Amino acid sequence: MNKPNHSFGTAPARGTAERWAAGPRLRRFVPEGLEKTVTLGQIVRFCTVVTLDFATIFLTLGLTFFLDQGPLLDDIVHSLAFIAAFSATACVCFVLAGLYKRSWRFVNFSHSIFLCSVITVGLIISWVGSAAWPLRTMGPELVPLAIIHWAFATICMLGTRMARRAWCERRDRRTGRMARKSPRPAAEPVHTAILIGSYQWARLSIDLANSEENSTVRIAGVLLPHRESTLPRINEVPVLGSQHDIVSAVEFLTERGMAPQHVIVCDDGTYLSNRDVSQINHRCRELGLEVCRVRDPLAQLLQRSSGSQPSKLPIEALLGRTECNLDNSSVVRQIANNTILVTGAGGTIGSELSRQIAALKPARLVLIDHSEFNLYTIESRLREVYPGLPITAEYLDIRDQVGVSRLFARHRPSIVFHAAALKHVPIVEGNACAGALTNVIGTRNIADAVCEHSAKAMVQISTDKAVNPIGVMGATKRVGELYCQALDMCGVDDPDAPRFMTVRFGNVLGSSGSILPLFERQLREGHPLTVTHPDIERYFMTVREAVQLILQSSSSALEAQTRRGSIFVLDMGEPVRIVDLARRMITLYGLEPDVDVPIEFVGLRPGEKLYEELFDMCEEQFESAIPGIFEARSRPLSLPLIIGATENLRRLAEDGDEDGVKRVAHDIARYPGRSEEAATVSYLFSLQHDMPGETLPK
């Protein structure tokens, strides 16, 4: 097929009907050898408007001469020749001034000012040029005639342009009314709306809604940011007051059969503050109206942030402490030129891990995720930023033991960062079997593959919810910690054995499913901020801090050959009350807590603790060689014991025994608090009596 030639200065190929409508293309040469295409339609339009202006100047000048003293020149022919030459000179001035580059249908105030200026200059030049014409009367007597002619010409030329715009607007309104009156499909109802914003924005929005033939929005009223008693209507739409008059405006429109369903707010941060928008949201929610917040369209066009809300929340203000910065010199030595594998690479932690690891130039980066979209997203972004880095994206469920083993055999990773897990507390509480299969069996599959294929190390990402857990999510993560700890202890006498390290930290600000995105959404939509309990508190950190902790602690442990079986914990300072975090966010948005935005307490969710801890009651806390990082040490379980316990848990999960999974997971999590003999007896008792669903004896 012949492809269209999109060379500079030519238009893309168009359909046959469109080419016939445009007519043949004529080319003219412009400076610097560039070509510009001009259609026959454009030439016809140019000639038409120039002819109309020529006729206007000609007729108004003739009328001026006639009204003054009849024929001014000696004969009619000579008089007409002078008027024609005068009009031609004026039109040439208009062309040179660029008057005809503007469309008549969009004439406005600025266009009118420009038109008056061009007419004034053009007529002055024409009158100066007329000095060479042998007039009967030439002198001060022509000054009043020139002023009268300027007034006639300006009124007529401006009037023709205004008439053109008025005709176009009348045609568009008639077309819009006909379209609104015509039967519409059931799937496209007309929505009545109230606009809240500046006069200019409201005028443009009304024009846009009226110009669309199939518009589904009918603007019934306008509310301005400030009370404008002298402005009753905008483009035939009534002004119903200010943003404080929503209730009366809705009542007014409802009485006239135009009850609104939507309120469209221009939330560009110029005329309405965050407090104003919040109050509008509250009133509309009470009235049952849907609020549509239109961000600054110019900001989006220029790709800059709108002033209505902070583009980046100050993390230190939310954390209540300084963000930690860790040294990464040892990280570079461990990551560079090695094959690195990241599970759960599409999640919040996994994606940040992948980005920071990719910047350290590994030999190959293998990404694993069970979400196709998340995997595609992180892979495409990394390939854009690091085009020379070998990246492999593997769609894999870590619960598939055979698939995990095959993947390790293909890529032979040196270091594995295990971020894949089910982390949402209430969801895991309601899906205990899925939580056990992913957080326990999936972790076991990855750890076993590390041993089978002689990887150098595995770094497991854990959570403070695994400390003295009361929910299934925390219990299953604790079981994963114990399994990796047992494997790590097996290599005490073998320096070449793989290392299994666990990194434990608190909540990550801004992660998917965390409290920060929920608060942001509630603030944007004008809802109250929901907190589970007035006294609930959590440890918080940023995703950058979390990933730095993971990389720094694991790399330092590998270089220094730290004690096996330790769990690395970030010093996250004091816990933060969720209600205090909510108040800080409201303040950062320029609003007042409990006045502009209320805070509602909805009660603890299933599996949720009131307070989180960083160290289990059976663990000892030690200072590590890494600043800002502690080590948690506890008595590990024997590998046969934890293998049998996790296998028992797997059978229960595959059988769908939710209650049995919960009991056994919590029992395994409590094993380190017992003596070795008691733990072993409990486990053997459960196997001997084939009672996997019963609580193990204390």
Side-chain angles (χ1 to χ4, degrees), residues 130-149:
S130 67
W133 198 274
L135 290 175
R136 184 179 62 188
T137 303
M138 176 62 69
E141 297 85 354
L142 286 181
V143 175
L145 294 178
I147 295 175
I148 294 172
H149 176 241

Side-chain angles (χ1 to χ4, degrees), residues 163 211 268 291 338 437 479 667:
S211 62
D268 61 357
V291 179
N338 283 317
L437 289 174
V479 175
D667 281 330

Side-chain angles (χ1 to χ4, degrees), residues 527-655:
H527 297 297
L529 299 195
T530 55
V531 179
T532 55
H533 192 279
D535 298 324
I536 191 171
E537 59 184 28
R538 292 290 183 265
Y539 290 97
F540 283 103
M541 64 189 311
T542 66
V543 65
R544 189 180 68 86
E545 280 183 312
V547 170
Q548 282 188 341
L549 165 66
I550 295 167
L551 296 175
Q552 183 73 42
S553 57
S554 59
S555 300
S556 299
L558 288 173
E559 282 199 345
Q561 291 296 314
T562 58
R563 174 176 172 173
R564 288 179 175 264
S566 296
I567 295 175
F568 297 97
V569 182
L570 175 66
D571 180 9
M572 292 182 286
E574 297 298 321
V576 178
R577 294 174 65 210
I578 302 297
V579 68
D580 293 337
L581 180 66
R583 295 181 187 278
R584 290 173 190 167
M585 283 199 63
I586 294 172
T587 303
L588 288 174
Y589 270 71
L591 305 173
E592 187 174 348
D594 300 319
V595 176
D596 300 315
V597 181
I599 298 176
E600 294 183 356
F601 299 102
V602 296
L604 291 175
R605 300 173 299 177
E608 193 170 45
K609 296 170 65 175
L610 193 60
Y611 305 101
E612 296 289 6
E613 305 162 273
L614 296 178
F615 298 90
D616 197 276
M617 57 185 178
C618 64
E619 293 176 337
E620 295 182 74
Q621 176 181 343
F622 292 90
E623 291 281 350
S624 72
I626 310 169
I629 296 178
F630 297 100
E631 289 186 28
R633 300 175 186 173
S634 65
R635 180 179 54 80
L637 301 181
S638 64
L639 185 60
L641 177 63
I642 192 66
I643 289 177
T646 55
E647 184 63 21
N648 189 19
L649 192 61
R650 181 190 64 80
R651 288 196 301 267
L652 292 170
E654 290 180 349
D655 292 340

Side-chain angles (χ1 to χ4, degrees), residues 149-193:
H149 176 241
W150 173 85
F152 282 168
T154 301
I155 292 173
C156 292
M157 290 180 64
L158 187 58
T160 54
R161 286 158 171 79
M162 292 294 185
R164 166 65 170 163
R165 172 164 182 170
W167 181 82
C168 290
E169 290 183 351
R170 182 175 181 275
R171 180 195 59 189
D172 293 341
R173 286 195 298 269
R174 184 173 64 252
T175 303
R177 284 195 297 267
M178 293 175 61
R180 286 191 290 270
K181 290 179 181 179
S182 61
R184 307 181 65 88
E188 296 183 4
V190 176
H191 302 280
T192 304

